[in-house]
Amino acid sequence: MKHTLPQLPYSYNALEPFIDAKTMEIHHSKHHQVYIDKLNAVLEKYPKLQDQKLEDLMRNLSSLEMDEADKTTLRNNGGGHMNHAFFWTIMGQEKETQTDLVENIKKTFGSVDQFKEQFSNAALLRFGSGWTWLVEDEKGELKVYSTANQDSPYLNNHTPLIGLDVWEHAYYLQYQNKRPDYVRNWWNVLKTV
Ligand code: MN
């Protein structure tokens, strides 16, 4: 089974003025599509892996019987596909607050504001390209951290709850070098918290 580009659950201009339509269009139709194309290409060599869930491939990556270079391609492009597919779903024009998640955040971080501060700091400290995450770890505890490149939290056997793309392609057209402004504005389009 080939992986395919999921439709955005909103239009390209839906997140304006916080994320501009052109960025969303290129990010979704070009960047995300390339991860999918490269993922499908590498999996063509490994028919047995084609129907496995990407979450499981990431959890078991180190033990997969693959050429090392192909494994890196899978890590980067499988991660790229999953991370973006997830990212699109947590954003939107209208809040759809997940009350259980908010309660958990308050329990773990003291308050939503303290969580946002910790998460934003992790996003700003990420050097170069990567993502910032709120995850549930293997013990069911919430953690904030950032990953390089397209590394998925599933590589750590963690489940992503919130993720922010801090690659320059996610914000450069509108924000240029001002990642702090992008991160601050992004909270307006995160619908779950
Ligand atoms: Mn991206």
Side-chain angles (χ1 to χ4, degrees), residues 141-174:
E141 290 171 5
L142 301 194
K143 290 208 159 63
V144 165
Y145 58 77
S146 119
T147 57
N149 306 315
Q150 292 295 347
D151 280 355
S152 159
Y154 288 105
L155 292 167
N156 307 323
N157 202 14
H158 295 166
T159 304
L161 303 174
I162 295 175
L164 173 59
D165 189 344
V166 292
W167 283 57
E168 282 188 342
H169 69 225
Y171 63 85
Y172 202 85
L173 284 182
Q174 186 176 357

Side-chain angles (χ1 to χ4, degrees), residues 22-177:
K22 194 73 186 166
T23 295
M24 287 300 294
E25 182 181 350
I26 296 171
H27 200 175
H28 175 256
S29 69
K30 308 285 188 208
H31 290 278
H32 190 171
Q33 183 68 57
V34 169
Y35 296 120
I36 292 168
D37 293 344
K38 291 184 177 171
L39 171 65
N40 284 328
V42 74
L43 288 180
E44 268 180 29
K45 299 192 216 172
Y46 303 92
K48 281 189 198 153
L49 302 183
Q50 284 172 1
D51 291 323
Q52 288 196 32
K53 279 187 167 177
L54 284 174
E55 286 90 333
D56 294 333
L57 293 180
M58 292 297 154
R59 284 192 186 100
N60 304 320
L61 192 74
S62 56
S63 58
L64 294 178
E65 286 181 23
M66 297 178 81
D67 175 88
E68 281 306 313
D70 288 343
K71 200 177 271 192
T72 301
T73 302
L74 172 61
R75 176 179 182 149
N76 290 339
N77 294 285
H81 176 30
M82 296 167 76
N83 293 343
H84 287 88
F86 176 68
F87 187 51
W88 310 134
T89 66
I90 61 172
M91 298 190 290
Q93 289 152 304
E94 291 182 16
K95 283 277 176 202
E96 289 173 26
T97 308
Q98 292 180 2
T99 46
D100 289 0
L101 177 59
V102 170
E103 283 312 305
N104 256 335
I105 284 173
K106 287 179 182 166
K107 234 184 277 171
T108 307
F109 300 95
S111 69
V112 170
D113 282 347
Q114 281 174 285
F115 155 69
K116 286 185 176 179
E117 193 183 334
Q118 195 173 321
F119 187 100
S120 298
N121 284 339
L124 300 182
L125 287 170
R126 161 56 46 203
F127 182 77
S129 299
W131 288 74
T132 301
W133 302 100
L134 174 71
V135 302
E136 185 176 67
D137 74 8
E138 65 280 13
K139 293 183 217 139
E141 290 171 5
L142 301 194
K143 290 208 159 63
V144 165
Y145 58 77
S146 119
T147 57
N149 306 315
Q150 292 295 347
D151 280 355
S152 159
Y154 288 105
L155 292 167
N156 307 323
N157 202 14
H158 295 166
T159 304
L161 303 174
I162 295 175
L164 173 59
D165 189 344
V166 292
W167 283 57
E168 282 188 342
H169 69 225
Y171 63 85
Y172 202 85
L173 284 182
Q174 186 176 357
Y175 293 95
Q176 292 84 47
N177 59 321

Side-chain angles (χ1 to χ4, degrees), residues 5-25:
L5 185 68
Q7 266 205 317
L8 276 192
Y10 37 75
S11 59
Y12 286 133
N13 65 4
L15 306 180
E16 291 191 339
F18 306 109
I19 303 178
D20 65 288
K22 194 73 186 166
T23 295
M24 287 300 294
E25 182 181 350

